[in-house]
């Protein structure tokens, strides 16, 4: 009877483990291949990626510091003294030219111009203008390329964020990290090709959601793996009670045999993907605890990133973790930092947000550079659109808000074959329209893929009779910012 009880308990634990593993890995999709899977539904083999770049890449991997909620370019990198001169005056209709506004300000009786509450100064050999809110970024300005002419069509957060991440506003498309995983695979068989880290600042947070790191119609092995700040950095990796490492290995081997039989019968590529996910989870049990342990970082690194880097789940901790993941071969590390939606109380709220991210963002550049990794790592910083040059709501001497503005905004890029110490593109003196070297979201995406050695027009996947790509039917590489 005791034997039956023990066997029942072991079987129960196996079933519970399989259930948890299927749920967990299915939801976080442990992208694992050294070479992308060839059993991709709907594609013929002649069109499949080989896991080898189309041409010599300048970057091996990407760290994307996404500032969710859209930081104001007018308080960060796009200095507009004209707005201070015309403080409180009406936005000229000739500048707006009937452009679309959100429902939050479309019915305002007036659109009073407002300059930055914070001063700007020029830094570095590039003499780039940087707001006083970003003193650490100002110190590395000669290592970054500031693009002041970004523009997009989407005017609200969800479609704009989804557009940046997937190339479509509607969702259910593969994310940029998934496309990179599909095109290049992983450098490290013990870690996923695409990882996701979340943090939240002091400001108003716009939510993030798993569709932003979805594999869409690609095999589930290409979905982003979310790391958490809890006791288990990746959910469902631990063995359940009653199942040791040896038993788990035997179970996975038997499960692979059964799944292989099912694959031979039905030909469903997700069966093959599931086997790979289980195997990746097994290997990650050893790799993840070591990677996520920040306690062994030397004092000079802790000082560089700031004390918050030892607090799990903070932006600083995630920047440090991103460096560790990247240097260990994770192709695409995606950070989302929430809290940049300053429709009101912008001077005080944006100050807190900037303090959360400024030191760690600059530290990441410095850290990668001193390790000799910046040249092969493309770092990106920016949000989903910009902010209006007029005040949303009541304008006072020391308080105002800014609405969404898709017509021009700023991001910066560093490393990975991007020219350091330059400013590219320009907006008009009101900070409302792009007047030189416009960069569309699809241009940005094409450029990122190009630096990884991928031709954005050739990286396609056939789904429901149509060939899809990250850049849809648009996009051109911005060669002027490349080395």
């Amino acid at each position: 009877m005791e034997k039956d009880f023990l066997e029942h308990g072991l079987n129960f634990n196996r079933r519970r483990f399989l259930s948890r593993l299927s749920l967990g890995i299915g939801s976080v999709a442990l992208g694992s291949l050294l070479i992308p899977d060839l059993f991709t539904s709907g594609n013929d083999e002649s069109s499949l990626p080989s896991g080898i770049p189309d041409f010599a890449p300048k970057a091996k991997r990407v760290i994307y510091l996404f500032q969710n909620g859209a930081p104001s370019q007018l308080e960060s990198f796009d200095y507009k003294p004209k707005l201070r001169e015309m403080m409180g005056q009406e936005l000229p209709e000739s500048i707006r030219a009937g452009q679309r506004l959100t429902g939050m300000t479309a019915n305002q009786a007036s659109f009073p111009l407002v300059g930055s509450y914070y001063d700007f100064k020029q830094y570095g050999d590039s003499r780039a203008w940087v707001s006083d809110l970003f003193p650490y970024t100002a110190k590395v300005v000669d290592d970054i390329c500031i693009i002041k002419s970004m523009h997009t069509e989407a005017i609200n957060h969800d479609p704009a964020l989804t557009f940046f991440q997937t190339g479509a506003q509607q969702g259910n498309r593969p994310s940029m990290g998934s496309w990179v995983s599909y095109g290049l695979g992983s450098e490290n068989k013990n870690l996923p090709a695409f990882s996701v880290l979340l943090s939240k600042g002091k400001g108003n947070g716009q939510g993030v959601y798993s569709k932003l790191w979805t594999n869409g119609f690609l095999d589930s092995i290409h979905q982003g793996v979310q790391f958490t700040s809890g006791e288990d950095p990746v959910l469902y990796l631990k063995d359940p009670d009653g199942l040791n490492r040896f038993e788990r290995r035997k179970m996975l081997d038997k499960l692979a045999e059964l799944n292989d039989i099912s694959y031979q019968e039905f030909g469903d590529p997700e069966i093959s993907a599931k086997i790979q996910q289980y195997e990746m989870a097994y290997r990650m049990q050893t790799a993840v605890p070591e990677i996520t342990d920040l306690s062994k970082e030397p004092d000079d690194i802790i000082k560089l990133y700031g004390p918050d880097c030892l607090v799990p789940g903070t932006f600083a901790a995630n920047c440090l973790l991103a460096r560790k993941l990247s240097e260990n071969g994770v192709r695409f590390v995606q950070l989302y930092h929430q809290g940049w939606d300053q429709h009101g109380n912008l001077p005080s709220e944006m100050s807190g947000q900037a303090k959360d991210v400024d030191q760690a963002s600059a530290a990441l550049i410095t850290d990668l550079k001193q390790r000799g990794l910046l040249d092969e790592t493309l770092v990106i910083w920016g949000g989903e659109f910009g902010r209006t040059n007029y005040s949303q709501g009541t304008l006072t001497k020391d308080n105002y808000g800014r609405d969404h503005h898709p017509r021009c905004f700023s991001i910066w890029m560093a490393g990975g074959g991007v020219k350091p110490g330059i400013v590219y593109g320009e907006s008009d003196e009101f900070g409302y329209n792009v007047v030189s070297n416009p960069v569309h979201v699809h241009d940005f995406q094409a450029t990122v893929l190009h630096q990884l050695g991928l031709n954005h027009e050739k990286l396609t996947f056939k789904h429901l009779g149509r060939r899809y790509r990250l850049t849809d039917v648009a996009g051109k590489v911005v060669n002027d910012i490349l080395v």
Side-chain angles (χ1 to χ4, degrees), residues 194-411:
F194 176 24
S195 297
V196 178
L197 307 171
L198 309 181
S199 60
K200 189 173 182 179
K202 301 177 178 67
N204 294 314
Q206 284 293 324
V208 293
Y209 19 80
S210 60
K211 75 172 184 176
L212 298 174
W213 52 91
T214 181
N215 56 295
F217 42 69
L218 299 177
D219 288 344
S220 57
I221 56 172
H222 302 300
Q223 186 174 342
V225 176
Q226 182 183 340
F227 283 65
T228 74
S229 58
E231 182 180 348
D232 297 328
V234 178
L235 299 179
Y236 309 117
L237 278 187
K238 288 183 177 179
D239 292 329
D241 296 339
L243 190 67
N244 60 36
R245 188 85 169 158
F246 175 73
E247 288 291 335
R248 186 182 184 214
R249 182 66 266 168
K250 287 175 60 179
M251 179 203 67
L252 289 176
D253 290 341
K254 183 58 67 176
L255 185 62
E257 291 178 16
L258 295 172
N259 280 331
D260 187 58
I261 292 171
S262 294
Y263 178 76
Q264 297 302 323
E265 182 176 356
F266 299 107
D268 184 352
E270 278 303 300
I271 297 174
S272 176
K274 189 66 70 177
I275 296 172
Q276 295 163 29
Q277 290 169 359
Y278 289 155
E279 292 298 328
M280 171 57 79
Y282 183 77
R283 296 192 297 269
M284 284 178 65
Q285 281 189 309
T286 300
V288 166
E290 182 179 348
I291 291 290
T292 55
D293 182 7
L294 305 182
S295 64
K296 297 177 183 178
E297 292 294 317
D299 291 343
D300 62 314
I301 294 297
I302 302 304
K303 183 178 180 180
L304 181 65
Y305 284 87
D308 280 352
C309 75
L310 295 178
V311 181
T314 62
F315 180 81
N318 285 348
C319 281
L320 181 51
L321 179 55
R323 186 220 80 202
K324 296 188 68 176
L325 289 167
S326 183
E327 71 180 340
N328 280 279
V330 175
R331 290 278 188 192
F332 203 100
V333 184
Q334 177 75 65
L335 281 72
Y336 294 99
H337 186 67
Q338 304 162 76
W340 288 100
D341 198 19
Q342 279 81 48
H343 288 274
N345 301 316
L346 185 146
S348 60
E349 285 190 9
M350 190 164 172
S351 174
Q353 280 293 112
K355 188 175 181 180
D356 277 343
V357 307
D358 180 42
Q359 181 175 354
S361 299
L364 179 61
I365 300 299
T366 302
D367 196 6
L368 289 169
K369 187 176 181 180
Q370 67 190 11
R371 292 170 185 271
L373 295 172
L374 185 59
D375 287 345
E376 62 184 37
T377 308
L378 179 59
V379 182
I380 306 162
W381 190 103
E384 63 264 39
F385 42 57
R387 292 282 164 176
T388 56
N389 59 3
Y390 61 82
S391 177
Q392 177 175 346
T394 303
L395 169 63
T396 67
K397 181 180 179 181
D398 57 4
N399 197 20
Y400 55 90
R402 295 192 190 275
D403 199 5
H404 310 163
H405 187 65
R407 297 301 300 169
C408 69
F409 56 104
S410 303
I411 67 170

Side-chain angles (χ1 to χ4, degrees), residues 106-167:
N107 295 320
Q108 283 190 184
S110 66
F111 301 97
L113 296 172
V114 54
S116 173
Y117 181 81
Y118 295 94
D119 292 329
F120 279 69
K121 298 182 182 64
Q122 287 179 289
Y123 295 90
D125 294 336
S126 65
R127 309 308 297 155
W129 290 96
V130 180
S131 161
D132 288 351
L133 285 177
F134 297 89
Y136 288 93
T137 304
K139 294 178 183 178
V140 298
V141 74
D142 283 338
D143 293 313
I144 68 177
C145 165
I146 300 173
I147 301 174
K148 299 199 296 184
S149 54
M150 288 296 306
H151 63 100
T152 184
E153 288 89 37
I155 200 170
N156 287 310
H157 293 288
D158 184 301
L161 178 55
T162 306
F163 190 40
F164 249 104
Q165 298 298 283
T166 71

